[in-house]
Amino acid sequence: MGSGMWSTDVYDAADRYRRTTGKSAFSYSDSGARTVHPALDPRGAMRESRDSTEHPQSTAISVLFDVTGSMGHVPRTLQTKLPQLLGLLLRQGYARDPQIMFGAIGDATCDRVPLQIGQFESDNRMDDDLGRIVLEGGGGGQMTESYELAMYYMARHTVADCWEKRGRRGYLFVIGDELAYPRVDRRQVSRLIGDDLGEDVPLRQIVDEVTRRWDTYYLLPAGSHYAGNAKVLDFWRDLLGQNAVVLDDLDAVCETIALTVGLGEQAVDLDQGLADLKRAGSTATGTVSKALARLRGGTRDQVCALPAPSAPPSTRGVTRL
């Protein structure tokens, strides 16, 4: 997957059509769907981010969000901010040939649709995948969701040429406000993904597997049920260190993702990125600055000796998002 080019004009036209007709951007869910859309069904599927003549230096970016309880509004916010995210990645030159995959996380112990995984896309089909997500809004009510199941899928059912060919990890952003379960349950894996495991997989093991190939971040936004909960934040910082990031404003999530990628790709430092946001008229600079202060000046480690891709052409001074 990952062919085609993103067009803000196409996105705007679709948005105008929905406004005119009264249709929702999440029509599949809002029409009453309670089963995973076939395009997002993880069972027996691999998701691939591949180079092509059109995109010779693909950068794989995955954004998975909790859609239970108070987190159910997250994808709606992401959908409205999608042009800003793509604008920063593409027009500001933060990443070469970004290919973005969206997915959703629930609770496999009780939800109808606990795992939904889209395709890596470079064009407006990523907006289509967002619109296919079931916003279940359930959850188990015990401060635990199936993040470990999503990490299992990312570790064992994804392929990315940025890693396979260039030894550079892709990016994984998990947006949530609760704890993961302590183990990947082999029965859930069999039922939802189709793998036959001999035993459960400890959470720490699957985190080690996923972070080997994916630069992994956990974003804890304000407005969620457990925002500011020390137990949740300590849990994720124990697993991911500084990559567990607190957001004071959910509306800043796209800018935070874009600048995090820009920092990781060494295309921008934090001060330059904040200046880009300010020139573009973003109101998220304070939130992003505070959220990414731990990453200031930092770049992710090269995890093997393969040469890094050449830097993208400079677009410094471009202000349109």
Side-chain angles (χ1 to χ4, degrees), residues 193-214:
I193 299 174
D195 293 354
D196 185 14
L197 301 179
E199 58 185 5
D200 295 347
V201 182
L203 174 62
R204 179 71 68 174
Q205 178 182 330
I206 209 64
V207 169
D208 289 345
E209 286 186 32
V210 79
T211 54
R212 181 173 182 268
R213 296 194 299 115
W214 296 94

Side-chain angles (χ1 to χ4, degrees), residues 288-309:
V288 175
S289 177
K290 182 179 178 181
L292 299 186
R294 286 169 166 252
L295 306 180
R296 175 179 291 272
T299 57
R300 61 184 185 160
D301 294 332
Q302 283 297 102
V303 290
C304 75
L306 294 179

Side-chain angles (χ1 to χ4, degrees), residues 6-313:
W6 169 265
S7 169
T8 299
D9 291 339
V10 170
Y11 173 91
D12 288 343
D15 186 56
R16 287 194 298 271
Y17 173 77
R18 287 191 292 262
R19 292 176 184 275
T20 300
T21 60
K23 292 187 176 181
S24 166
F26 292 85
S27 57
Y28 181 69
S29 183
D30 291 343
S31 67
R34 292 298 179 266
T35 59
V36 64
H37 191 284
L40 275 62
D41 190 347
R43 185 173 178 81
M46 293 289 292
R47 300 300 189 228
E48 299 177 86
S49 172
R50 295 294 196 182
D51 295 345
S52 64
T53 302
E54 196 174 27
H55 302 291
Q57 297 278 348
S58 59
T59 303
I61 302 169
S62 301
V63 182
L64 307 179
F65 33 82
D66 184 342
V67 290
T68 65
S70 63
M71 296 296 295
H73 63 298
V74 172
R76 296 186 189 273
T77 300
L78 277 174
Q79 196 275 335
T80 62
K81 302 276 283 187
L82 195 54
Q84 285 91 328
L85 173 59
L86 270 295
L88 287 164
L89 291 174
L90 293 169
R91 296 186 185 91
Q92 297 299 113
Y94 289 176
R96 285 286 294 270
D97 300 325
Q99 298 179 353
I100 301 179
M101 180 188 80
F102 291 113
I105 301 167
D107 190 335
T109 69
C110 58
D111 288 341
R112 298 186 189 92
V113 192
L115 186 63
Q116 305 171 73
I117 303 290
Q119 301 283 359
F120 287 98
E121 303 288 6
S122 298
D123 63 8
N124 293 70
R125 283 174 290 186
M126 67 182 75
D127 189 26
D128 296 338
D129 274 353
L130 270 174
R132 295 172 177 136
I133 288 172
V134 176
L135 308 177
E136 192 159 26
Q142 72 286 350
M143 202 192 290
T144 313
E145 306 294 351
S146 298
Y147 303 109
E148 76 293 337
L149 188 64
M151 289 185 175
Y152 173 89
Y153 187 92
M154 292 300 302
R156 301 191 184 184
H157 282 264
T158 58
V159 179
D161 277 351
C162 58
W163 169 258
E164 300 290 333
K165 292 183 178 181
R166 293 177 289 280
R168 291 187 68 85
R169 288 177 292 177
Y171 295 87
L172 169 59
F173 296 91
V174 179
I175 305 171
D177 70 337
E178 301 190 45
L179 313 178
Y181 285 98
R183 307 181 75 82
V184 179
D185 189 312
R186 61 186 179 86
R187 294 164 298 180
Q188 295 172 3
V189 169
S190 176
R191 175 170 59 92
L192 297 168
I193 299 174
D195 293 354
D196 185 14
L197 301 179
E199 58 185 5
D200 295 347
V201 182
L203 174 62
R204 179 71 68 174
Q205 178 182 330
I206 209 64
V207 169
D208 289 345
E209 286 186 32
V210 79
T211 54
R212 181 173 182 268
R213 296 194 299 115
W214 296 94
D215 201 11
T216 304
Y217 297 83
Y218 189 87
L219 306 185
L220 178 61
S224 57
H225 187 69
Y226 292 109
N229 186 288
K231 182 178 180 180
V232 173
L233 185 58
D234 289 347
F235 175 88
W236 287 104
R237 286 197 170 152
D238 180 59
L239 290 172
L240 301 175
Q242 67 179 10
N243 287 9
V245 177
V246 176
L247 284 180
D248 288 342
D249 183 359
L250 177 60
D251 284 343
V253 66
C254 284
E255 289 94 331
T256 301
I257 290 172
L259 261 65
T260 301
V261 173
L263 289 170
E265 294 299 293
Q266 303 181 41
V268 67
D269 63 28
L270 183 55
D271 290 334
Q272 291 170 324
L274 294 173
D276 288 343
L277 292 183
K278 186 175 181 179
R279 281 197 298 270
S282 173
T283 60
T285 54
T287 296
V288 175
S289 177
K290 182 179 178 181
L292 299 186
R294 286 169 166 252
L295 306 180
R296 175 179 291 272
T299 57
R300 61 184 185 160
D301 294 332
Q302 283 297 102
V303 290
C304 75
L306 294 179
S310 58

